[in-house]
Amino acid sequence: DTGVSQDPRHKITKRGQNVTFRCDPISEHNRLYWYRQTLGQGPEFLTYFQNEAQLEKSRLLSDRFSAERPKGSFSTLEIQRTEQGDSAMYLCASSSRAKNIQYFGAGTRLSVL
Amino acid sequence: TQLLEQSPQFLSIQEGENLTVYCNSSSVFSSLQWYRQEPGEGPVLLVTVVTGGEVKKLKRLTFQFGDARKDSSLHITAAQPGDTGLYLCAGHPGGGADGLTFGKGTHLIIQP
């Protein structure tokens, strides 16, 4: 068990560029969650998957945000046309259906210049 | 309005002192989790409390879930510099399997 893995750990981009982050969950976990955390705040839920099905996406911040989990294993979160307000830590978590406890990765820190 | 209110927001104390931080809500939670987060890292799960009135101990940390399952507390005995971090409570209001609702956290600094 290697834990939840996120890549990259840090991303610096210019305003208007697209960025994509990857999350590899704990291998036996079928649920995967994305959160955003800004300075001084707790994590804010964005979306989640059970296997390859995206069961909740109404909390994505805008239509510039999208997530996929095509084979029910790793997931990607894409932000199109980034804005300075997108600068934050993006966290991924996973859980199993049997034990509804979420384990977090180390996050991807995004800085939009 | 935050669904989960944590207090205090910031706490700085000397090594060896005791402290309590609180997580309060007007909503009922099927369970609450406590996480600890260090700068630049993801939250690390400390404990899950499920039953109203439940008390769980993790070495010098004692977690309590309120009888009505609307609040929780974390008490640290003889705090050490290694306890420094952001303590977050989180849960699913009314149950469910989707995203957790988090409080803003308590920033704890233990000075040697």
Side-chain angles (χ1 to χ4, degrees), chain A residues 1-5 24-30 69 94-95 103-104:
Chain A
D1 179 358
T2 57
V4 178
S5 178
D24 287 88
I26 293 170
S27 57
E28 64 269 26
H29 285 182
N30 63 341
R69 195 184 183 198
S94 69
S95 71
Y103 295 88
F104 283 80

Side-chain angles (χ1 to χ4, degrees), chain B residues 1-110:
Chain B
T1 304
Q2 282 282 119
L3 194 58
L4 283 168
E5 297 280 351
Q6 290 192 244
S7 62
Q9 270 193 281
F10 299 95
L11 184 59
S12 179
I13 62 172
Q14 294 294 124
E15 181 176 1
E17 293 184 16
N18 302 333
L19 67 111
T20 302
V21 299
Y22 300 92
C23 174
N24 295 304
S25 178
S26 56
S27 299
V28 175
F29 284 79
S30 58
S31 66
L32 279 178
Q33 284 90 52
W34 283 91
Y35 289 84
R36 179 169 163 265
Q37 186 177 25
E38 297 195 34
E41 300 294 328
V44 175
L45 181 68
L46 297 174
V47 78
T48 299
V49 285
V50 178
T51 307
E54 182 177 8
V55 176
K56 280 191 173 177
K57 292 195 173 185
L58 189 66
K59 297 182 181 177
R60 294 176 293 100
L61 279 59
T62 301
F63 303 85
Q64 187 160 6
F65 201 11
D67 290 341
R69 291 184 289 132
K70 291 183 178 181
D71 55 84
S72 182
S73 63
L74 158 59
H75 182 80
I76 302 179
T77 303
Q80 298 177 2
D83 295 328
T84 293
L86 176 65
Y87 288 82
L88 294 157
C89 68
H92 295 104
D98 59 3
L100 289 166
T101 296
F102 279 84
K104 286 188 177 183
T106 293
H107 293 264
L108 177 63
I109 296 173
I110 309 301

Side-chain angles (χ1 to χ4, degrees), chain A residues 1 4 7 16 33 43 46 49-50 62 69 72 83 103 105 107-108:
Chain A
D1 179 358
V4 178
D7 183 71
Y33 308 80
L46 297 179
F49 295 84
Q50 181 161 294
S62 79
R69 195 184 183 198
E83 301 173 357
Y103 295 88
T108 294

